[in-house]
Amino acid sequence: MTATTTRFRFAVSEVEVATDLPRRRRRITPELGRALEKLNHAIEYLTDEYIHQGSSITELNDHACTVDLLKTLRKQIYLDAPEVLPFAQRCKTFLTQLFA
């Protein structure tokens, strides 16, 4: 599922996010979840605003810089969340501690 169209340079898709982030799951607290949700809404709003306005190239650069900044912030918030160990790693750790 794509969050926005990919016709514009600053379009955001799940594929783009997935390739930029490590494969490990993160433990997202309710506070982090709200922050990520608000950032996603801001990115979507700015993208939609540009599409509906038919803005000039100068405004495109402003929008693109703003969206890039928000995407970087979103990525940093996500990466700051603690990682969830894969099931196999948790089992290995448990068995190691059990038989140590």
Side-chain angles (χ1 to χ4, degrees), residues 30-98:
E31 294 81 16
L32 288 179
R34 281 191 290 280
L36 292 170
E37 183 178 19
K38 287 181 181 192
L39 285 169
N40 286 334
H41 286 300
I43 292 167
E44 184 176 345
Y45 175 81
L46 288 173
T47 303
D48 288 345
E49 181 183 330
Y50 176 76
I51 291 170
H52 293 297
Q53 281 182 353
S55 302
S56 68
I57 287 294
T58 305
E59 291 173 14
L60 170 63
N61 290 336
D62 292 343
H63 272 82
C65 290
T66 304
V67 170
D68 285 341
L69 177 68
L70 291 173
K71 286 170 48 179
T72 301
L73 181 60
R74 177 185 63 184
K75 182 177 177 180
Q76 189 58 47
I77 288 173
Y78 180 79
L79 292 176
D80 286 345
E83 290 183 1
V84 175
L85 290 176
F87 181 71
Q89 183 65 37
R90 289 191 309 244
C91 288
K92 183 179 176 183
T93 302
F94 173 75
L95 292 174
T96 302
Q97 290 174 352
L98 184 65

